[in-house]
Amino acid sequence: MKLHIVGGGSIGLLIAASAAERGDDVTIHVRREEQAEALTLRGVTLIDERKNETYSVKATTSFHSNDDALFVIALTGPALFHMKDLLKRYIGDRPVLFIQNGVRHVDWARQSFPNAHFASVEHGAVRTADTIVEHRGHGQVMTVPSEHESFKRLFERHQTSRLAIRCVNDRTIDAILWRKAVINCAINPLTALLRIKNGELLTNRSAYDLMEKVYTEIITSIPNLKPIVQWDDIVNVCQRTATNESSMLKDVVAGRVTEADFIVLPILKRGAERNETMPTLQTCYTLLCAVDERGMM
């Protein structure tokens, strides 16, 4: 199966290595020429507690292929919107799977790509070099069934692979994405602002109380989210990814714009539509905006 993965970060490399491990023909689209050359020359190395293996992949900084591949967009929200016109021209009506955090991209993707599908990635991964990814925190990729042959084949091939793609029939894709958004809202902003790893949200009493307060504000303001994400779900993610730094923390440390507008803002807006406020989450969002502005100076 041919896969084109757009994005050479932690999740992009994890998916590329997992797909190559299953024998898929993988091409990774990256921004920097040096990463493309390194991946093409050395392959992608996947490290976890059981193995350290390298898999052959192709990599490029260009968008010229006309093959019938399935595309996986493994970009952050800001990077996705920076490239949205290019992606729309290049991918066209070919099948494309979006795995971004948050929900801000969903309406645009549905309008722009006739064969768009969505998934929520619940794995923990860290890119330690341009060609090396560590799989920290084994989870699953949640999505819903599709009638498109390419998606059906992808989901069938990777139900039992490292990716553990799980198609659920009792939820909509919107419910799955909102569930992930709530989990991200409870974890990522606090780890970024406090500069702590995910597991410290459980061991630091004040941080734990703040995380619980954010969750309570969300489900109180938007009650229909409570059935799809429980407090235990958030605790379990923190436990499973205890040694990980959230993507938002990595962005802050690197001076990059965070995904606050893609993860936090849609939750705040949905509450505002019900005339509800979330003061703790709003404060986190305002602080992240200030950090983003400082990082761009």
Side-chain angles (χ1 to χ4, degrees):
M1 183 172 189
K2 290 184 178 180
L3 291 180
H4 282 234
I5 298 167
V6 182
S10 301
I11 296 300
L13 292 186
L14 176 65
I15 293 173
S18 302
E21 187 177 37
R22 270 293 162 105
D24 292 334
D25 181 353
V26 177
T27 299
I28 310 173
H29 295 263
V30 298
R31 179 174 54 85
R32 293 179 294 108
E33 190 64 46
E34 55 265 37
Q35 186 182 17
E37 292 175 356
L39 285 166
T40 300
L41 179 65
R42 298 197 291 271
V44 57
T45 298
L46 177 63
I47 299 172
D48 67 10
E49 67 277 6
R50 298 187 303 273
K51 64 192 302 184
N52 180 332
E53 296 285 347
T54 298
Y55 303 96
S56 177
V57 296
K58 297 184 286 290
T60 179
T61 58
S62 64
F63 288 86
H64 297 302
S65 172
N66 292 315
D67 60 25
D68 58 352
L70 185 151
F71 287 79
V72 179
I73 309 301
L75 298 169
T76 65
L80 171 63
F81 273 64
H82 179 73
M83 295 181 62
K84 63 180 183 179
D85 292 335
L86 173 62
L87 293 173
K88 187 175 179 179
R89 289 196 307 271
Y90 177 62
I91 295 174
D93 61 358
R94 286 181 284 184
V96 53
L97 181 67
F98 290 88
I99 58 170
Q100 280 62 44
N101 288 328
V103 295
R104 184 180 169 188
H105 63 292
V106 174
D107 287 343
W108 165 79
R110 284 174 171 156
Q111 294 168 7
S112 302
F113 300 92
N115 289 306
H117 203 72
F118 304 88
S120 170
V121 177
E122 298 182 358
H123 292 277
V126 178
R127 189 188 76 179
T128 58
D130 277 351
T131 64
I132 301 173
V133 61
E134 294 185 13
H135 194 181
R136 301 178 182 176
H138 291 253
Q140 61 187 357
V141 177
M142 289 187 67
T143 187
V144 294
S146 169
E147 292 304 313
H148 195 289
E149 286 301 320
S150 293
F151 290 124
K152 288 170 69 173
R153 186 179 177 198
L154 176 71
F155 300 161
E156 289 169 1
R157 284 177 64 81
H158 290 282
Q159 281 181 347
T160 57
S161 78
R162 176 183 298 274
L163 292 179
I165 295 180
R166 178 188 169 204
C167 291
V168 294
N169 294 300
D170 59 344
R171 291 184 186 175
T172 65
I173 192 61
D174 294 271
I176 290 171
L177 297 180
W178 277 101
R179 175 183 180 274
K180 178 73 179 297
V182 173
I183 293 172
N184 286 151
C185 266
I187 295 174
N188 291 19
L190 291 174
T191 60
L193 293 169
L194 299 174
R195 300 208 174 196
I196 59 177
K197 294 182 178 180
N198 293 358
E200 292 181 66
L201 290 171
L202 302 179
T203 59
N204 182 310
R205 171 49 60 181
S206 295
Y208 182 94
D209 290 344
L210 280 169
M211 181 169 66
E212 189 172 31
K213 193 168 186 179
V214 168
Y215 171 74
T216 301
E217 286 181 357
I218 293 172
I219 62 166
T220 301
S221 300
I222 316 170
N224 61 350
L225 292 179
K226 186 174 182 179
I228 63 175
V229 56
Q230 306 295 314
W231 173 244
D232 285 348
D233 295 328
I234 294 168
V235 171
N236 288 339
V237 170
C238 289
Q239 291 172 336
R240 195 172 66 244
T241 62
T243 61
N244 289 9
E245 295 180 346
S246 72
S247 58
M248 198 171 282
L249 172 56
K250 292 176 187 175
D251 288 338
V252 168
V253 171
R256 297 187 296 262
V257 175
T258 70
E259 292 186 280
D261 282 350
F262 294 82
I263 295 173
V264 183
L265 187 57
I267 296 278
L268 291 171
K269 285 185 174 180
R270 188 163 172 181
E273 290 170 0
R274 297 173 49 85
N275 295 316
E276 298 283 355
T277 59
M278 304 174 222
T280 308
L281 185 60
Q282 178 66 62
T283 299
C284 289
Y285 174 71
T286 303
L287 288 170
L288 286 168
C289 289
V291 171
D292 284 346
E293 186 175 337
R294 184 182 64 188
M296 290 185 290
M297 290 180 178

